[in-house]
Amino acid sequence: MHLLIIDDNASLVRALERLFSGRKDLVFHGVTYVAEAHSCLKGFEIEAILLDHDLVDDRSQECLTLLQKDFPHLIPKTWLMYGALELSRWTPEDQVGIAGILVKPHELSRLVPWVDQLRNTKIPISVTPFLKSFLSSGLKAPIDVSPPSKLPSSPFQELEWALKDRGAWHVEVAILLETLEEKINKEQAQSILEAWNKKRPIV
């Protein structure tokens, strides 16, 4: 299943990657320009679209117009997004026929049951890469979605797998880990992990 994210926030793509990290039947395509979006829409069987409201140079409205004109069948599978600390720029006219509005980051979890519903209506697509990185940026390679055969290579990954094992994984945790990975170095993260391991109850 191919999902297209039209947003210039690389952290959002990584948070969604973490949120859906167990879904081997998903491929995320992250783009920031209308031409890139059009290329993905023509080259892949896109099943869902997430479109941010404040792309620079009014690209958001251009992307929505592209969908309405050339890909109207995808409007019911399009989510319009804006940040929790932002004022939405979407008008009532923009929202006609769409799947819904998402307030980032906390409402991203609404995508999980929706994607499950989409997936259950068709045969899953077999894919090799989990995430297609931003076409115009140098994002890191996606994390391995299978349980590690040895200790993870970073404390961030170790925290991630520990939380998943304890059933504590959700979008807020994904975004928190992504923020920590941006703000602290590996040594600081290792110190946090060791302190947490001492305090966590044995299950």
Side-chain angles (χ1 to χ4, degrees):
M1 181 182 294
H2 295 260
L3 288 82
L4 174 63
I5 307 173
I6 309 173
D7 199 321
D8 52 12
N9 184 345
S11 293
L12 172 69
V13 179
R14 282 289 295 155
L16 285 167
E17 179 191 10
R18 291 182 186 275
L19 179 63
F20 288 100
S21 63
R23 311 297 179 89
K24 292 188 176 182
D25 62 335
L26 293 180
V27 175
F28 277 59
H29 304 267
V31 303
T32 59
Y33 293 93
V34 178
E36 296 170 339
H38 189 269
S39 177
C40 275
L41 289 163
K42 294 289 287 186
F44 300 96
E45 186 182 355
I46 300 296
E47 291 292 326
I49 299 169
L50 307 180
L51 174 58
D52 190 50
H53 77 128
D54 66 345
L55 296 173
V56 297
D57 299 329
D58 205 27
R59 291 183 208 148
S60 301
Q61 200 61 47
E62 282 188 63
C63 287
L64 185 57
T65 299
L66 168 69
L67 293 172
Q68 292 167 335
K69 180 182 177 182
D70 296 340
F71 304 92
H73 65 287
L74 289 175
I75 291 295
K77 297 182 178 182
T78 297
W79 291 84
L80 304 180
M81 305 183 295
Y82 67 97
L85 302 179
E86 301 170 324
L87 293 176
S88 175
R89 300 182 188 179
W90 299 119
T91 68
E93 290 75 20
D94 294 333
Q95 300 175 36
V96 174
I98 63 166
I101 294 281
L102 290 175
V103 181
K104 302 181 292 185
H106 56 279
E107 288 190 352
L108 294 179
S109 56
R110 294 172 58 195
L111 292 173
V112 176
W114 186 74
V115 166
D116 284 341
Q117 184 179 8
L118 277 181
R119 185 177 58 178
N120 291 336
T121 61
K122 62 178 293 182
I123 299 173
I125 300 171
S126 177
V127 296
T128 301
F130 171 71
L131 175 70
K132 293 288 185 182
S133 299
F134 267 32
L135 299 180
S136 60
S137 67
L139 284 180
K140 296 179 289 186
I143 56 174
D144 186 2
V145 297
S146 59
S149 58
K150 58 183 180 179
L151 284 178
S153 59
S154 81
F156 297 105
Q157 289 175 315
E158 192 167 344
L159 279 169
E160 181 176 323
W161 286 110
L163 288 166
K164 285 177 179 174
D165 287 343
R166 301 167 91 74
W169 192 250
H170 50 76
V171 67
E172 288 86 358
V173 173
I175 292 171
L176 174 60
L177 278 180
E178 180 62 26
T179 303
L180 285 174
E181 197 165 353
E182 292 175 351
K183 299 297 183 183
I184 65 177
N185 60 41
K186 189 176 293 186
E187 290 71 26
Q188 291 170 316
Q190 185 64 46
S191 177
I192 292 172
L193 176 62
E194 290 171 358
W196 181 65
N197 277 329
K198 290 178 182 178
K199 293 180 179 181
R200 62 197 284 214
I202 298 174
V203 177

